[in-house]
Amino acid sequence: MSRITIARRLVLAAALLLGAGAAQAQQTRPSVQALDERPASAIFIGNSFFYYNNSMHGHLRSLITGAGERRPFSGVSVTISGSGFEWHDVESYFRPNALGSYSFDNDNNIVFNNRARLFDIAVMMDCSQCPIHPRLGSVFTDYAKRHSETVRRHGAKPVFFMSWAYADKPEMTEQLAEAYTRAGNDNDALVIPAGLAFARSIRERPELNLYVADKRHPSLAGTYLAATTTYAAIFGTSPEGNRYTAGLEPETARFLQTVAWQTVRDYLGTRRAAN
């Protein structure tokens, strides 16, 4: 890595550090700090930020296995490239005998699912800048409410996924954090602070690249950080020491696990759950 590249990342880290200090002073606090029961199934509704690097829900399942847990968990991802909240017909995702109605075992045998409810939680994300866009912010607020009501009508709980700032626009971190936190509070929904985890990682280790070349989508390290933050938030359990590393260097994975847990703990006030 060139000295110029390192210098640029150090400047970015300094900017994020300053932004984070302001965020801590002014940030609205989340009113929902934990789910009231452990979810056994989830639908991820969003865009390419979810499906990059073989999909967020797949990494989440691997983290559950990597923790040595035997409790079942199923995940489904419904994503549209570039999509905002209003692109998704969430009502249709809960129709009978459709999404998640069957899967395949290790021997490629079809397994039909017969669950009392299709999904326990719906993890939802708007487009990467929609919540803070001057023309789309009201759409975000409107559909956060609409989709939360739809999800609850089908017996599931809404969860919002706070996305991250673009690599060259660190000021988005505070803005997105505020928008998602307010939406979570307005709709009695848990918020996963992935964007804050990205900012913390960049502050502490700016040389670790969380982005691909477009400065928006996640590298494998970025997806892994988002997945470990999701794991920590929805289960209230630290991912530190998890055996699943997504093929990253073990030391890198350990660092990201710690960042995820520290971020969730600071944002949600989460304490380590009992095993």
Side-chain angles (χ1 to χ4, degrees):
M1 183 181 298
S2 70
R3 292 183 178 179
I4 294 176
T5 300
I6 293 173
R8 285 175 178 171
R9 292 188 176 174
L10 289 172
V11 169
L12 174 59
L16 283 168
L17 181 59
L18 291 172
Q24 289 175 357
Q26 303 173 11
Q27 174 78 53
T28 298
R29 300 302 304 165
S31 58
V32 178
Q33 297 179 312
L35 296 173
D36 55 12
E37 62 180 4
R38 178 188 173 89
S41 57
I43 179 172
F44 284 76
I45 301 170
N47 47 58
S48 53
F49 277 25
F50 275 162
Y51 71 62
Y52 253 58
N53 300 304
N54 203 29
S55 193
M56 185 78 65
H57 76 280
H59 291 281
L60 181 60
R61 283 204 305 259
S62 295
L63 285 165
I64 294 169
T65 302
E69 299 182 22
R70 297 184 178 275
R71 286 174 287 191
F73 182 88
S74 61
V76 172
S77 185
V78 183
T79 58
I80 305 171
S81 178
S83 68
F85 265 176
E86 75 277 20
W87 293 23
H88 286 276
D89 182 4
V90 175
E91 180 70 41
S92 72
Y93 301 160
F94 286 84
R95 68 191 188 277
N97 301 315
L99 293 176
S101 60
Y102 59 83
S103 57
F104 296 88
D105 65 17
N106 291 334
D107 296 320
N108 210 32
N109 297 311
I110 192 168
V111 178
F112 290 95
N113 299 320
N114 185 25
R115 300 194 294 266
R117 58 186 176 196
L118 193 56
F119 305 110
D120 291 339
I121 61 173
V123 181
M124 300 181 286
M125 173 177 54
D126 203 349
C127 87
S128 56
Q129 60 176 308
C130 287
I132 58 177
H133 191 280
R135 296 182 60 183
L136 296 173
S138 61
V139 178
F140 165 73
T141 301
D142 180 21
Y143 275 84
K145 182 176 186 294
R146 292 191 191 193
H147 290 339
S148 293
E149 291 173 348
T150 298
V151 167
R152 284 199 168 91
R153 192 163 58 247
H154 290 279
K157 292 185 179 300
V159 175
F160 294 139
F161 181 93
M162 180 201 298
S163 55
W164 48 82
Y166 299 162
D168 55 351
K169 295 186 181 298
E171 67 275 9
M172 289 175 63
T173 295
E174 181 182 348
Q175 298 166 0
L176 287 167
E178 184 67 14
Y180 273 103
T181 302
R182 287 185 179 274
N185 291 352
D186 289 345
N187 295 283
D188 194 30
L190 181 74
V191 177
I192 299 167
L196 295 177
F198 264 58
R200 182 189 290 263
S201 177
I202 293 169
R203 290 197 307 271
E204 296 184 4
R205 192 170 295 186
E207 74 280 5
L208 176 59
N209 193 1
L210 303 178
Y211 301 89
V212 296
D214 68 5
K215 300 181 181 179
R216 299 185 178 190
H217 289 88
S219 65
L220 179 59
T223 292
Y224 184 77
L225 176 57
T228 50
T229 305
T230 299
Y231 175 91
I234 68 173
F235 295 126
T237 301
S238 174
E240 294 168 301
N242 195 290
R243 293 192 299 273
Y244 176 67
T245 64
L248 298 170
E249 290 293 328
E251 189 276 334
T252 299
R254 285 194 299 271
F255 167 73
L256 295 172
Q257 291 168 1
T258 297
V259 167
W261 179 241
Q262 289 176 340
T263 302
V264 168
R265 182 192 59 198
D266 291 350
Y267 177 72
L268 295 176
T270 305
R271 295 182 179 180
R272 192 185 302 270
N275 294 328

mmCIF file of all heavy atoms in Angstrom, residues 40-79:
data_model
loop_
_atom_site.group_PDB
_atom_site.id
_atom_site.type_symbol
_atom_site.label_atom_id
_atom_site.label_comp_id
_atom_site.label_asym_id
_atom_site.label_seq_id
_atom_site.Cartn_x
_atom_site.Cartn_y
_atom_site.Cartn_z
ATOM 1 N N ALA A 40 -36.000 -17.391 15.071
ATOM 2 C CA ALA A 40 -35.567 -18.630 14.439
ATOM 3 C C ALA A 40 -35.617 -18.533 12.919
ATOM 4 O O ALA A 40 -35.211 -19.472 12.221
ATOM 5 C CB ALA A 40 -36.427 -19.796 14.906
ATOM 6 N N SER A 41 -36.122 -17.416 12.415
ATOM 7 C CA SER A 41 -36.199 -17.231 10.971
ATOM 8 C C SER A 41 -36.216 -15.745 10.668
ATOM 9 O O SER A 41 -36.659 -14.929 11.481
ATOM 10 C CB SER A 41 -37.460 -17.903 10.402
ATOM 11 O OG SER A 41 -38.617 -17.384 11.031
ATOM 12 N N ALA A 42 -35.717 -15.395 9.487
ATOM 13 C CA ALA A 42 -35.643 -13.988 9.108
ATOM 14 C C ALA A 42 -35.755 -13.840 7.611
ATOM 15 O O ALA A 42 -35.295 -14.701 6.846
ATOM 16 C CB ALA A 42 -34.333 -13.368 9.595
ATOM 17 N N ILE A 43 -36.366 -12.753 7.189
ATOM 18 C CA ILE A 43 -36.343 -12.351 5.786
ATOM 19 C C ILE A 43 -35.573 -11.041 5.705
ATOM 20 O O ILE A 43 -35.802 -10.125 6.504
ATOM 21 C CB ILE A 43 -37.773 -12.211 5.213
ATOM 22 C CG1 ILE A 43 -37.710 -11.756 3.744
ATOM 23 C CG2 ILE A 43 -38.641 -11.273 6.045
ATOM 24 C CD1 ILE A 43 -39.049 -11.769 3.038
ATOM 25 N N PHE A 44 -34.633 -10.957 4.789
ATOM 26 C CA PHE A 44 -33.855 -9.747 4.558
ATOM 27 C C PHE A 44 -34.408 -9.057 3.315
ATOM 28 O O PHE A 44 -34.397 -9.640 2.224
ATOM 29 C CB PHE A 44 -32.378 -10.080 4.369
ATOM 30 C CG PHE A 44 -31.661 -10.411 5.645
ATOM 31 C CD1 PHE A 44 -31.838 -11.641 6.257
ATOM 32 C CD2 PHE A 44 -30.804 -9.490 6.238
ATOM 33 C CE1 PHE A 44 -31.183 -11.950 7.441
ATOM 34 C CE2 PHE A 44 -30.140 -9.793 7.419
ATOM 35 C CZ PHE A 44 -30.331 -11.019 8.025
ATOM 36 N N ILE A 45 -34.903 -7.853 3.473
ATOM 37 C CA ILE A 45 -35.541 -7.107 2.389
ATOM 38 C C ILE A 45 -34.708 -5.874 2.103
ATOM 39 O O ILE A 45 -34.567 -4.997 2.961
ATOM 40 C CB ILE A 45 -36.976 -6.701 2.776
ATOM 41 C CG1 ILE A 45 -37.816 -7.951 3.102
ATOM 42 C CG2 ILE A 45 -37.634 -5.897 1.665
ATOM 43 C CD1 ILE A 45 -39.160 -7.631 3.729
ATOM 44 N N GLY A 46 -34.117 -5.806 0.913
ATOM 45 C CA GLY A 46 -33.249 -4.676 0.647
ATOM 46 C C GLY A 46 -32.717 -4.669 -0.770
ATOM 47 O O GLY A 46 -33.443 -4.920 -1.740
ATOM 48 N N ASN A 47 -31.420 -4.444 -0.897
ATOM 49 C CA ASN A 47 -30.798 -4.227 -2.204
ATOM 50 C C ASN A 47 -29.420 -4.882 -2.248
ATOM 51 O O ASN A 47 -29.153 -5.823 -1.497
ATOM 52 C CB ASN A 47 -30.727 -2.725 -2.481
ATOM 53 C CG ASN A 47 -30.179 -1.956 -1.283
ATOM 54 O OD1 ASN A 47 -29.065 -2.214 -0.829
ATOM 55 N ND2 ASN A 47 -30.968 -1.024 -0.751
ATOM 56 N N SER A 48 -28.564 -4.365 -3.120
ATOM 57 C CA SER A 48 -27.266 -5.000 -3.337
ATOM 58 C C SER A 48 -26.367 -4.966 -2.112
ATOM 59 O O SER A 48 -25.448 -5.789 -1.986
ATOM 60 C CB SER A 48 -26.540 -4.344 -4.514
ATOM 61 O OG SER A 48 -26.464 -2.940 -4.341
ATOM 62 N N PHE A 49 -26.587 -4.031 -1.184
ATOM 63 C CA PHE A 49 -25.796 -4.039 0.039
ATOM 64 C C PHE A 49 -25.996 -5.347 0.801
ATOM 65 O O PHE A 49 -25.101 -5.787 1.528
ATOM 66 C CB PHE A 49 -26.168 -2.857 0.934
ATOM 67 C CG PHE A 49 -25.491 -1.564 0.578
ATOM 68 C CD1 PHE A 49 -25.027 -1.320 -0.710
ATOM 69 C CD2 PHE A 49 -25.315 -0.572 1.521
ATOM 70 C CE1 PHE A 49 -24.414 -0.130 -1.047
ATOM 71 C CE2 PHE A 49 -24.694 0.637 1.204
ATOM 72 C CZ PHE A 49 -24.235 0.852 -0.081
ATOM 73 N N PHE A 50 -27.154 -5.964 0.654
ATOM 74 C CA PHE A 50 -27.419 -7.263 1.285
ATOM 75 C C PHE A 50 -26.871 -8.421 0.461
ATOM 76 O O PHE A 50 -26.352 -9.389 1.011
ATOM 77 C CB PHE A 50 -28.921 -7.472 1.485
ATOM 78 C CG PHE A 50 -29.484 -6.869 2.739
ATOM 79 C CD1 PHE A 50 -30.851 -6.655 2.863
ATOM 80 C CD2 PHE A 50 -28.676 -6.522 3.806
ATOM 81 C CE1 PHE A 50 -31.388 -6.098 4.022
ATOM 82 C CE2 PHE A 50 -29.191 -5.968 4.970
ATOM 83 C CZ PHE A 50 -30.555 -5.748 5.069
ATOM 84 N N TYR A 51 -26.993 -8.369 -0.873
ATOM 85 C CA TYR A 51 -26.655 -9.573 -1.639
ATOM 86 C C TYR A 51 -25.185 -9.675 -2.036
ATOM 87 O O TYR A 51 -24.749 -10.724 -2.525
ATOM 88 C CB TYR A 51 -27.577 -9.749 -2.842
ATOM 89 C CG TYR A 51 -27.439 -8.797 -4.018
ATOM 90 C CD1 TYR A 51 -26.267 -8.701 -4.771
ATOM 91 C CD2 TYR A 51 -28.539 -8.050 -4.439
ATOM 92 C CE1 TYR A 51 -26.177 -7.870 -5.866
ATOM 93 C CE2 TYR A 51 -28.460 -7.204 -5.541
ATOM 94 C CZ TYR A 51 -27.275 -7.127 -6.252
ATOM 95 O OH TYR A 51 -27.194 -6.300 -7.341
ATOM 96 N N TYR A 52 -24.389 -8.625 -1.831
ATOM 97 C CA TYR A 52 -22.966 -8.723 -2.135
ATOM 98 C C TYR A 52 -22.309 -9.831 -1.305
ATOM 99 O O TYR A 52 -22.708 -10.103 -0.182
ATOM 100 C CB TYR A 52 -22.276 -7.384 -1.835
ATOM 101 C CG TYR A 52 -21.894 -6.606 -3.082
ATOM 102 C CD1 TYR A 52 -22.862 -6.247 -4.023
ATOM 103 C CD2 TYR A 52 -20.572 -6.234 -3.327
ATOM 104 C CE1 TYR A 52 -22.519 -5.543 -5.163
ATOM 105 C CE2 TYR A 52 -20.225 -5.524 -4.462
ATOM 106 C CZ TYR A 52 -21.195 -5.181 -5.389
ATOM 107 O OH TYR A 52 -20.853 -4.484 -6.518
ATOM 108 N N ASN A 53 -21.306 -10.471 -1.900
ATOM 109 C CA ASN A 53 -20.487 -11.466 -1.196
ATOM 110 C C ASN A 53 -21.314 -12.646 -0.681
ATOM 111 O O ASN A 53 -21.153 -13.106 0.447
ATOM 112 C CB ASN A 53 -19.718 -10.805 -0.044
ATOM 113 C CG ASN A 53 -18.801 -9.707 -0.529
ATOM 114 O OD1 ASN A 53 -17.950 -9.934 -1.390
ATOM 115 N ND2 ASN A 53 -18.978 -8.494 -0.016
ATOM 116 N N ASN A 54 -22.213 -13.131 -1.532
ATOM 117 C CA ASN A 54 -22.997 -14.335 -1.254
ATOM 118 C C ASN A 54 -24.044 -14.136 -0.169
ATOM 119 O O ASN A 54 -24.440 -15.071 0.504
ATOM 120 C CB ASN A 54 -22.087 -15.514 -0.877
ATOM 121 C CG ASN A 54 -22.773 -16.848 -1.143
ATOM 122 O OD1 ASN A 54 -23.616 -16.959 -2.027
ATOM 123 N ND2 ASN A 54 -22.411 -17.866 -0.379
ATOM 124 N N SER A 55 -24.511 -12.916 -0.005
ATOM 125 C CA SER A 55 -25.707 -12.559 0.753
ATOM 126 C C SER A 55 -25.514 -12.569 2.269
ATOM 127 O O SER A 55 -24.926 -13.472 2.854
ATOM 128 C CB SER A 55 -26.886 -13.461 0.396
ATOM 129 O OG SER A 55 -28.087 -12.937 0.909
ATOM 130 N N MET A 56 -26.083 -11.540 2.871
ATOM 131 C CA MET A 56 -25.967 -11.334 4.313
ATOM 132 C C MET A 56 -26.534 -12.504 5.113
ATOM 133 O O MET A 56 -25.955 -12.937 6.113
ATOM 134 C CB MET A 56 -26.695 -10.049 4.702
ATOM 135 C CG MET A 56 -26.538 -9.662 6.144
ATOM 136 S SD MET A 56 -24.957 -8.899 6.479
ATOM 137 C CE MET A 56 -25.126 -7.411 5.495
ATOM 138 N N HIS A 57 -27.691 -13.025 4.675
ATOM 139 C CA HIS A 57 -28.337 -14.062 5.482
ATOM 140 C C HIS A 57 -27.494 -15.337 5.527
ATOM 141 O O HIS A 57 -27.525 -16.069 6.510
ATOM 142 C CB HIS A 57 -29.746 -14.359 4.963
ATOM 143 C CG HIS A 57 -29.795 -15.177 3.712
ATOM 144 N ND1 HIS A 57 -29.586 -14.649 2.449
ATOM 145 C CD2 HIS A 57 -30.027 -16.507 3.518
ATOM 146 C CE1 HIS A 57 -29.694 -15.607 1.543
ATOM 147 N NE2 HIS A 57 -29.963 -16.737 2.171
ATOM 148 N N GLY A 58 -26.725 -15.598 4.467
ATOM 149 C CA GLY A 58 -25.853 -16.763 4.474
ATOM 150 C C GLY A 58 -24.731 -16.635 5.488
ATOM 151 O O GLY A 58 -24.396 -17.590 6.197
ATOM 152 N N HIS A 59 -24.150 -15.444 5.581
ATOM 153 C CA HIS A 59 -23.098 -15.213 6.580
ATOM 154 C C HIS A 59 -23.670 -15.297 7.989
ATOM 155 O O HIS A 59 -23.007 -15.796 8.904
ATOM 156 C CB HIS A 59 -22.438 -13.854 6.350
ATOM 157 C CG HIS A 59 -21.619 -13.789 5.106
ATOM 158 N ND1 HIS A 59 -20.346 -14.305 5.022
ATOM 159 C CD2 HIS A 59 -21.904 -13.277 3.874
ATOM 160 C CE1 HIS A 59 -19.862 -14.104 3.809
ATOM 161 N NE2 HIS A 59 -20.792 -13.483 3.091
ATOM 162 N N LEU A 60 -24.891 -14.820 8.174
ATOM 163 C CA LEU A 60 -25.508 -14.893 9.497
ATOM 164 C C LEU A 60 -25.694 -16.348 9.925
ATOM 165 O O LEU A 60 -25.388 -16.705 11.072
ATOM 166 C CB LEU A 60 -26.849 -14.162 9.494
ATOM 167 C CG LEU A 60 -27.600 -14.145 10.817
ATOM 168 C CD1 LEU A 60 -26.783 -13.471 11.911
ATOM 169 C CD2 LEU A 60 -28.950 -13.438 10.650
ATOM 170 N N ARG A 61 -26.166 -17.176 9.020
ATOM 171 C CA ARG A 61 -26.318 -18.598 9.347
ATOM 172 C C ARG A 61 -24.973 -19.228 9.695
ATOM 173 O O ARG A 61 -24.867 -20.042 10.616
ATOM 174 C CB ARG A 61 -26.957 -19.343 8.177
ATOM 175 C CG ARG A 61 -28.452 -19.153 8.040
ATOM 176 C CD ARG A 61 -29.091 -20.302 7.284
ATOM 177 N NE ARG A 61 -28.471 -20.505 5.980
ATOM 178 C CZ ARG A 61 -28.992 -20.093 4.823
ATOM 179 N NH1 ARG A 61 -30.122 -19.424 4.826
ATOM 180 N NH2 ARG A 61 -28.381 -20.331 3.692
ATOM 181 N N SER A 62 -23.935 -18.858 8.958
ATOM 182 C CA SER A 62 -22.606 -19.413 9.230
ATOM 183 C C SER A 62 -22.072 -18.956 10.581
ATOM 184 O O SER A 62 -21.379 -19.714 11.270
ATOM 185 C CB SER A 62 -21.630 -19.011 8.115
ATOM 186 O OG SER A 62 -22.005 -19.593 6.883
ATOM 187 N N LEU A 63 -22.386 -17.736 10.980
ATOM 188 C CA LEU A 63 -21.978 -17.262 12.299
ATOM 189 C C LEU A 63 -22.690 -18.040 13.404
ATOM 190 O O LEU A 63 -22.091 -18.340 14.447
ATOM 191 C CB LEU A 63 -22.285 -15.771 12.433
ATOM 192 C CG LEU A 63 -21.334 -14.831 11.685
ATOM 193 C CD1 LEU A 63 -21.937 -13.433 11.585
ATOM 194 C CD2 LEU A 63 -19.968 -14.778 12.369
ATOM 195 N N ILE A 64 -23.947 -18.371 13.190
ATOM 196 C CA ILE A 64 -24.678 -19.177 14.171
ATOM 197 C C ILE A 64 -24.020 -20.548 14.310
ATOM 198 O O ILE A 64 -23.780 -21.038 15.425
ATOM 199 C CB ILE A 64 -26.157 -19.307 13.757
ATOM 200 C CG1 ILE A 64 -26.841 -17.938 13.823
ATOM 201 C CG2 ILE A 64 -26.887 -20.308 14.641
ATOM 202 C CD1 ILE A 64 -28.209 -17.910 13.190
ATOM 203 N N THR A 65 -23.681 -21.156 13.179
ATOM 204 C CA THR A 65 -22.983 -22.443 13.207
ATOM 205 C C THR A 65 -21.602 -22.291 13.836
ATOM 206 O O THR A 65 -21.166 -23.126 14.641
ATOM 207 C CB THR A 65 -22.843 -23.006 11.783
ATOM 208 O OG1 THR A 65 -24.137 -23.155 11.198
ATOM 209 C CG2 THR A 65 -22.135 -24.361 11.802
ATOM 210 N N GLY A 66 -20.912 -21.207 13.498
ATOM 211 C CA GLY A 66 -19.568 -20.965 14.026
ATOM 212 C C GLY A 66 -19.545 -20.749 15.518
ATOM 213 O O GLY A 66 -18.507 -20.928 16.158
ATOM 214 N N ALA A 67 -20.688 -20.362 16.085
ATOM 215 C CA ALA A 67 -20.781 -20.200 17.536
ATOM 216 C C ALA A 67 -21.076 -21.518 18.234
ATOM 217 O O ALA A 67 -21.162 -21.558 19.475
ATOM 218 C CB ALA A 67 -21.870 -19.184 17.873
ATOM 219 N N GLY A 68 -21.221 -22.585 17.455
ATOM 220 C CA GLY A 68 -21.501 -23.899 18.038
ATOM 221 C C GLY A 68 -22.953 -24.085 18.433
ATOM 222 O O GLY A 68 -23.276 -25.008 19.191
ATOM 223 N N GLU A 69 -23.830 -23.229 17.917
ATOM 224 C CA GLU A 69 -25.243 -23.340 18.272
ATOM 225 C C GLU A 69 -25.938 -24.380 17.393
ATOM 226 O O GLU A 69 -25.684 -24.461 16.193
ATOM 227 C CB GLU A 69 -25.927 -21.969 18.110
ATOM 228 C CG GLU A 69 -25.335 -20.894 19.002
ATOM 229 C CD GLU A 69 -26.060 -19.568 18.842
ATOM 230 O OE1 GLU A 69 -27.216 -19.587 18.389
ATOM 231 O OE2 GLU A 69 -25.469 -18.533 19.167
ATOM 232 N N ARG A 70 -26.814 -25.126 18.005
ATOM 233 C CA ARG A 70 -27.563 -26.147 17.282
ATOM 234 C C ARG A 70 -29.022 -25.757 17.049
ATOM 235 O O ARG A 70 -29.766 -26.461 16.388
ATOM 236 C CB ARG A 70 -27.504 -27.479 18.029
ATOM 237 C CG ARG A 70 -26.088 -28.038 18.143
ATOM 238 C CD ARG A 70 -26.058 -29.407 18.791
ATOM 239 N NE ARG A 70 -24.703 -29.934 18.839
ATOM 240 C CZ ARG A 70 -24.119 -30.603 17.841
ATOM 241 N NH1 ARG A 70 -24.793 -30.808 16.711
ATOM 242 N NH2 ARG A 70 -22.881 -31.061 17.954
ATOM 243 N N ARG A 71 -29.412 -24.609 17.622
ATOM 244 C CA ARG A 71 -30.784 -24.161 17.418
ATOM 245 C C ARG A 71 -30.989 -23.790 15.954
ATOM 246 O O ARG A 71 -30.145 -23.141 15.342
ATOM 247 C CB ARG A 71 -31.086 -22.964 18.330
ATOM 248 C CG ARG A 71 -31.254 -23.347 19.781
ATOM 249 C CD ARG A 71 -31.417 -22.125 20.683
ATOM 250 N NE ARG A 71 -30.170 -21.408 20.861
ATOM 251 C CZ ARG A 71 -29.988 -20.446 21.758
ATOM 252 N NH1 ARG A 71 -30.994 -20.066 22.534
ATOM 253 N NH2 ARG A 71 -28.827 -19.835 21.874
ATOM 254 N N PRO A 72 -32.115 -24.209 15.371
ATOM 255 C CA PRO A 72 -32.316 -23.963 13.936
ATOM 256 C C PRO A 72 -32.514 -22.481 13.637
ATOM 257 O O PRO A 72 -33.040 -21.726 14.449
ATOM 258 C CB PRO A 72 -33.592 -24.756 13.626
ATOM 259 C CG PRO A 72 -34.329 -24.823 14.931
ATOM 260 C CD PRO A 72 -33.270 -24.909 15.987
ATOM 261 N N PHE A 73 -32.063 -22.080 12.447
ATOM 262 C CA PHE A 73 -32.306 -20.725 11.975
ATOM 263 C C PHE A 73 -32.373 -20.768 10.457
ATOM 264 O O PHE A 73 -31.515 -21.349 9.799
ATOM 265 C CB PHE A 73 -31.196 -19.770 12.409
ATOM 266 C CG PHE A 73 -31.444 -18.349 11.978
ATOM 267 C CD1 PHE A 73 -32.186 -17.495 12.783
ATOM 268 C CD2 PHE A 73 -30.967 -17.875 10.766
ATOM 269 C CE1 PHE A 73 -32.438 -16.191 12.394
ATOM 270 C CE2 PHE A 73 -31.215 -16.578 10.361
ATOM 271 C CZ PHE A 73 -31.949 -15.730 11.183
ATOM 272 N N SER A 74 -33.397 -20.162 9.906
ATOM 273 C CA SER A 74 -33.532 -20.100 8.453
ATOM 274 C C SER A 74 -33.597 -18.650 8.016
ATOM 275 O O SER A 74 -34.151 -17.793 8.719
ATOM 276 C CB SER A 74 -34.794 -20.838 7.990
ATOM 277 O OG SER A 74 -35.954 -20.249 8.546
ATOM 278 N N GLY A 75 -32.994 -18.365 6.884
ATOM 279 C CA GLY A 75 -32.991 -17.007 6.371
ATOM 280 C C GLY A 75 -33.286 -16.979 4.890
ATOM 281 O O GLY A 75 -32.908 -17.887 4.149
ATOM 282 N N VAL A 76 -33.980 -15.947 4.453
ATOM 283 C CA VAL A 76 -34.304 -15.735 3.053
ATOM 284 C C VAL A 76 -33.976 -14.288 2.716
ATOM 285 O O VAL A 76 -34.221 -13.382 3.520
ATOM 286 C CB VAL A 76 -35.797 -16.011 2.774
ATOM 287 C CG1 VAL A 76 -36.166 -15.606 1.353
ATOM 288 C CG2 VAL A 76 -36.125 -17.479 2.987
ATOM 289 N N SER A 77 -33.433 -14.064 1.540
ATOM 290 C CA SER A 77 -33.086 -12.713 1.112
ATOM 291 C C SER A 77 -33.910 -12.334 -0.107
ATOM 292 O O SER A 77 -33.963 -13.078 -1.083
ATOM 293 C CB SER A 77 -31.589 -12.641 0.780
ATOM 294 O OG SER A 77 -31.198 -11.328 0.465
ATOM 295 N N VAL A 78 -34.573 -11.180 -0.038
ATOM 296 C CA VAL A 78 -35.345 -10.653 -1.165
ATOM 297 C C VAL A 78 -34.768 -9.284 -1.494
ATOM 298 O O VAL A 78 -35.007 -8.308 -0.779
ATOM 299 C CB VAL A 78 -36.840 -10.534 -0.825
ATOM 300 C CG1 VAL A 78 -37.616 -10.048 -2.045
ATOM 301 C CG2 VAL A 78 -37.393 -11.865 -0.352
ATOM 302 N N THR A 79 -33.996 -9.194 -2.561
ATOM 303 C CA THR A 79 -33.284 -7.958 -2.873
ATOM 304 C C THR A 79 -33.529 -7.540 -4.316
ATOM 305 O O THR A 79 -33.706 -8.374 -5.204
ATOM 306 C CB THR A 79 -31.768 -8.129 -2.647
ATOM 307 O OG1 THR A 79 -31.288 -9.201 -3.466
ATOM 308 C CG2 THR A 79 -31.465 -8.437 -1.193
#
